[in-house]
Amino acid sequence: MAGGLALLLPLKWASFWLGAALRTVPVMWRCVLVCTVAFVGTSLAWVVPDAREDPSLYNLGVGIFDVTGPAAGVNMMGYANPAQVNGGIHTRLYSRAFIFDDTQRRVVFVSVDCGMMGQMVKIKVVERLQAQYGNVYGHDNVMLSGTHTHSGPAGYLQYLLFDITSLGFIHETLDAMVEGIYQSIVMAHESVVPGYVYVTSGDLLETSINRSPTGYLNNPEEERAKYEHNTDKTMTLLKLVAEDGTDLGMVNWYAVHPTSMNNTNKLVSGDNKGYASQLFEKAMNPGALPGQGNFVAAFAQSNCGDVSPNTKGPRCIDTGLPCELSSSTCNGRVHNCIAFGPGKDMVDSTRIIGENQFQKAWELYHDAAAVKISGPVQFAHQFVDMANYTVHYDDGSTGKTCTPALGYSFAAGTIDGPGAFDFTQGMTEGNPFWNMVSGVLQKPSPEQVACHDPKPILLDTGEINFPYAWHPRIVDTQVGRVGQLIILPVPGEFTTMCGRRFRDQVAATLEGEGVPGAVPVLAGLSNVYTHYITTWEEYQVQRYEAASTIYGPHTCSAYMQQYAYLAAAMVKGEYPEPGPAPPDMTDSVITFLPGVIFDGTPLGKAFGDVIAEPYPLAYVGETVTAKFVSGHPRNDVQLGGSFLTVERLTDAGSWQVVATDASWETRFIWDRTSSLLGTSVATVKWDIPKDAAEGTYRITHTGHCKTLFRGIDQYHGISKSFKVVTPSWEANQVRRAHRRRNSRKSWWRRVFRL
């Protein structure tokens, strides 16, 4: 109390003298002064407390929020497979935000469980933030990065090519992402406390392979000799700890595709990186449900362009033999050349690759040799026209990027998800038939063909603007600094070697500017998506990644030059010209995906009714199933909520939620049983964890139904309770008795029907 009074005395005298001074100022100017002070005080409130007496003490904030979007009836983003329309949830998707502030400047890094970040998403998020906080946040200091899960809803990218398989733009997906990202940043903003940041790194093996080895091998031999592996194995991790010792959060960058869940999957999933986040957050937030703990753990993406999690590698599924290496084909076609993960199925592979990342992150988080970060927070940003960028090489020559176009091997897909027709990887020549087909859309000019050489152009997307642009020209380029850590958000998927060159270029630039020992991390799929970025040498081979390098063979060098420029400007305190603003095509996007017309119920049933009850007795390790009369999940995405709960009866007689549709051990599966009648069934499955407590449980389902006359209403269904026990002789006797009773009931039903 005495200390508090001592602090208040100077404020008392300051207010006395300020009041005396104000009385000498005319009334009108007093009002102007007071309003100005109030405005400035509000807009600068985020700079408190002042932590810079210690250059290693930052203001830190973390936040997490749901971004799942429509759970059914929408194409998934990643594999571009029109048949991959979602029908439920395995795990929910989250936005994880991290604020770093040195009281003078602030950056926020956000890792989002999504296919990739969309330009319109960032535009809308920044608009929301500026409406709430003024100029505290902008395009220059907000970094949004996608994890690259291929099991999230599509339709949120504003350029037409990305929305073809989803039948156009899906506003529910966009709205959920914008709201969730915004809320995660708000949570981080409101939770800012003084704290320390530690950085460390280590190699993680047996978790990734290079899916385009022939492309990698085309890089110079002396360059490849510098590295032990043909993918980056290093995980770089940040540990955020409050000044009082409270663990706040963790973010790491590791290069691997979240394609453990393959293109037959129909359930929304964060894939291997989403599962790793859940494992870490569960360990740090004991007893908390997914997405609801104070500690936030992000497994962010890096240069994953040619990196697959399917570590068993590709083989021909019809013969079991290895695929042809350079073209990834079996008998001349790509369809049967598929890579497999380490598990018995795609869910098991997701678990293994996720656990590998979690275990390495856990080890690094508790590494006593982690280095405390110290130094300023800085950032630099510039929009650039990447379709018209000149590269200046050391030998005096120049190169130029191209108007966007995709090559033939783009349509071949990859060993993680093969493409269609007769396209193969490594195609450096076109054919008359496909040239004719692509020419119907847009025949590339001779200049365009020469710019992209040796890529044979299949889709000249950059020159197609009907009904609106098919590909971006204006991209975000951005650098963020927290002490010696340099975050490099890049607008696409860099291959392994392109990422290595890129990081080395930025580190060398910083050292030349008097910042030795920088730790650059590449944050992939950030701010806007522009497909892949390969080295010039990889581009000559025209594997899938090279055919998808839309700005041509000099793209990697262009980004190296641009980010080196931004890094130098940042440390000098210079502010690059903002560059040409990207378009906001909200009013231009179109959709052909019909909305929900109505929901119906079977005769004599109501929404939420249970049509298949769980078995009365279940063992730990078994799967419990319940089925409900359901409405369409698109009626309400239930952002921040859940379509299901698993609940346990407590000793106090209340029901405690132990799992939701975000939990790894649950699955929410939705099926439209009749399009004519609008009837649907929601199936809830719960894999009982080995550490589940014995007791009485039940399953619930919450959804929304749309009727022709009443609009959208919420409904709720509850199963009968059931017992969970560990296997024993007594439990087996009880189960046999249940089965005998059910058998007699079934016999009488059969007799009655006869």
Side-chain angles (χ1 to χ4, degrees), residues 199-205 207 229 231-238 252-255 356-357 359-365 367 369-370 519 521:
V199 62
T200 186
S201 63
D203 285 353
L204 172 58
L205 306 180
T207 301
H229 304 286
T231 65
D232 278 344
K233 306 296 185 182
T234 301
M235 175 184 286
T236 301
L237 180 142
L238 293 186
N252 71 71
W253 292 267
Y254 180 75
N356 288 353
Q357 292 178 78
Q359 292 290 351
K360 173 53 69 172
W362 189 259
E363 172 192 324
L364 293 175
Y365 190 84
D367 182 6
V519 182
V521 291

Side-chain angles (χ1 to χ4, degrees), residues 79-80 327 334-335 406-414 417-427 434 455-459 531 542-548:
Y79 289 112
S327 62
V334 298
H335 307 79
L406 290 163
Y408 270 55
S409 294
F410 160 76
T414 74
F421 305 109
D422 57 348
F423 297 101
T424 67
Q425 296 208 52
M427 295 181 73
W434 288 113
K455 176 201 295 178
I457 295 176
L458 177 66
L459 293 172
H531 293 268
Q542 280 298 296
R543 295 276 297 178
Y544 168 82
E545 295 82 11
S548 305

Side-chain angles (χ1 to χ4, degrees), residues 588-660:
S588 301
V589 295
I590 56 176
T591 183
F592 295 102
L593 183 69
V596 179
I597 300 174
F598 73 97
D599 293 304
T601 62
L603 187 64
K605 297 292 184 180
F607 290 106
D609 281 358
V610 183
I611 55 177
E613 294 282 2
Y615 199 75
L617 184 69
Y619 291 158
V620 169
E622 291 186 332
T623 299
V624 176
T625 302
K627 296 187 177 184
F628 301 82
V629 177
S630 175
H632 202 301
R634 282 186 69 191
N635 292 326
D636 191 312
V637 301
Q638 301 192 174
L639 201 65
S642 178
F643 287 100
L644 68 91
T645 62
V646 178
E647 301 176 359
R648 180 177 181 272
L649 185 64
T650 67
D651 293 339
S654 60
W655 291 95
Q656 176 190 8
V657 176
V658 297
T660 67

Side-chain angles (χ1 to χ4, degrees), residues 560-578:
M560 289 168 62
Q561 177 177 299
Q562 174 65 17
Y563 278 72
Y565 160 69
L566 289 180
M570 176 185 69
V571 297
K572 292 176 185 176
E574 299 174 354
Y575 296 92
E577 290 294 324

Side-chain angles (χ1 to χ4, degrees), residues 52 121 205 269 301 331 344 383 400 443 494 558 683 712:
R52 299 315 292 172
V121 174
L205 306 180
S269 168
Q301 193 54 267
N331 296 317
K344 62 187 178 184
F383 292 114
K400 208 165 187 302
K443 183 177 180 180
F494 281 44
T683 301
I712 296 177

